[in-house]
Amino acid sequence: MEKIRLIIFLGLLTATLASCSKKSTPTPPVPPPDTTVTVKPPGQATLLTPANNEPCTVGANVTVTQSNVTFTWSAAAYTDGYEVHIKNLINNNVTVLLTANLTLDATLALSTPYSWYIVSTSKKSTEIAQSDTWKFYNSGPGAAFYPPYPAEAVYPLVNQTITFPVGSGGGNLTLKWTATAGSSPVKSYTVYYNNLLYNLTTPNAQIITTTTNSATVAASAGTTYYWEVVTTDAAGNTSTSQVYSFYVE
């Protein structure tokens, strides 16, 4: 009887050990692969030609008043399209041309200054990148002299609102601008300033002549002011800026 009990006990023990030996820690599931795609924004293009602040090398003439100008730039990273923004600095009209290439021809007026920049775009990103802005003069064939580029406002900015009192004098502020010479050095600036747009260049306007890039004027609260700058170079060539405005509140 004791032998039978021992045999049963040993059998049960063996079965228990065998069942325990079969148990193991379950293997964790393999995580799915990371399918996240990092979209990089387009990079900034580097402008090549027309060169900055130089008379343009004129291409094929279209008419006696226009020519084909070739724009070139270096490739921008993560970019599949470019917007070429070309601004006529005389009438401030802007032309935007689209291309996927690194060169583009545009028909432009002769004897006219222009500025241009590139906006890089990508179909994979909503972000954009803007290049530097360059200026050139489409001088036309045989032209050796060209006027200064129109002055550009630095302060106040276009349509800026300024809180009264303004400036250190309480009712005065200093207009500031930048200008780039053409074929001759800049000699002087004439500033026309008024609170009536239609009187800007009449004797009713305040007229200031200076050799610096700034002029101090009076201003009152609740008034919109208009101003423009005529740049004159040593050869007597002139250029007129666009009319800028600001409001004093």
Side-chain angles (χ1 to χ4, degrees):
M1 181 63 73
E2 293 297 329
K3 288 182 178 182
I4 294 173
R5 290 179 178 175
L6 179 60
I7 290 172
I8 294 173
F9 173 75
L10 292 175
L12 294 173
L13 180 61
T14 301
T16 301
L17 292 175
S19 64
C20 290
S21 65
K22 291 180 181 179
K23 294 181 179 180
S24 61
T25 303
T27 302
V30 178
D34 186 3
T35 58
T36 302
V37 177
T38 301
V39 176
K40 295 185 178 181
Q44 185 184 55
T46 300
L47 307 184
L48 298 177
T49 60
N52 192 27
N53 295 332
E54 292 290 338
C56 177
T57 301
V58 179
N61 288 332
V62 177
T63 68
V64 294
T65 59
Q66 295 179 316
S67 68
N68 273 343
V69 176
T70 299
F71 295 83
T72 63
W73 56 94
S74 63
Y78 313 109
T79 297
D80 49 36
Y82 300 95
E83 298 176 0
V84 184
H85 294 244
I86 307 169
K87 181 179 181 180
N88 182 318
L89 297 179
I90 298 297
N91 57 27
N92 297 307
N93 289 338
V94 177
T95 300
V96 180
L97 303 174
L98 308 180
T99 182
N101 302 318
L102 300 178
T103 182
L104 180 141
D105 289 344
T107 301
L108 303 178
L110 296 176
S111 303
T112 303
Y114 289 89
S115 66
W116 70 293
Y117 64 87
I118 299 288
V119 173
S120 305
T121 61
S122 172
K123 297 177 182 178
K124 299 178 181 179
S125 174
T126 57
E127 297 185 50
I128 61 174
Q130 182 174 320
S131 72
D132 295 333
T133 299
W134 282 8
K135 292 183 287 187
F136 67 94
Y137 191 84
N138 192 24
S139 55
F145 304 97
Y146 58 103
Y149 292 94
E152 296 180 280
V154 173
Y155 179 83
L157 297 176
V158 180
N159 298 325
Q160 181 175 352
T161 297
I162 300 173
T163 302
F164 190 87
V166 293
S168 58
N172 295 327
L173 64 83
T174 299
L175 306 175
K176 298 179 181 180
W177 61 89
T178 61
T180 303
S183 56
S184 299
V186 172
K187 181 181 179 181
S188 64
Y189 305 97
T190 302
V191 181
Y192 295 87
Y193 176 77
N194 205 346
N195 61 347
L196 297 173
L197 179 60
Y198 60 85
N199 276 340
L200 189 59
T201 57
T202 70
N204 295 323
Q206 182 178 356
I207 303 174
I208 304 169
T209 300
T210 178
T211 57
T212 67
N213 293 67
S214 63
T216 300
V217 294
S220 301
T223 307
T224 298
Y225 292 92
Y226 304 89
W227 62 292
E228 69 179 11
V229 180
V230 176
T231 305
T232 304
D233 68 13
N237 301 310
T238 63
S239 65
T240 303
S241 73
Q242 71 179 79
V243 176
Y244 299 106
S245 66
F246 63 92
Y247 178 72
V248 181
E249 64 180 6

